[in-house]
Amino acid sequence: MEILMFRWDASAWIKFPLLCSVNLVLLFASYHFLVRSTFIGKILNGRAHPFRSPFQVSDHSPGTGTG
């Protein structure tokens, strides 16, 4: 990403936060999709978190408990 912005004629006050933001998003996405649900995630976090789609329908509805 830095190479793409090398010749961009803008202030460092604009480039630096932009680079940090883009890199942060890429790192969080790669961790979520490539590490979290693998054996590496199990070593780091103690248990595996299976990947679930945010659109997956749950069997449990909030507020429908029997107590």
Side-chain angles (χ1 to χ4, degrees), residues 44-66:
L44 293 173
N45 300 322
R47 63 185 177 101
H49 297 275
F51 177 73
R52 291 184 299 169
S53 171
F55 304 107
Q56 184 177 3
V57 177
S58 175
D59 293 340
H60 303 99
S61 298
T64 60
T66 59

Side-chain angles (χ1 to χ4, degrees), residues 3-63:
I3 294 173
L4 296 174
M5 296 181 73
F6 179 70
R7 294 190 181 173
W8 188 30
D9 196 22
S11 171
W13 291 102
I14 295 172
K15 287 200 251 184
F16 183 70
L18 185 63
L19 282 171
C20 288
S21 306
V22 169
N23 286 328
L24 187 69
V25 168
L26 290 174
L27 288 171
F28 276 138
S30 67
Y31 172 77
H32 181 73
F33 291 110
L34 302 175
V35 174
R36 190 169 186 216
S37 62
T38 65
F39 72 94
I40 299 170
K42 186 174 182 177
I43 292 169
L44 293 173
N45 300 322
R47 63 185 177 101
H49 297 275
F51 177 73
R52 291 184 299 169
S53 171
F55 304 107
Q56 184 177 3
V57 177
S58 175
D59 293 340
H60 303 99
S61 298

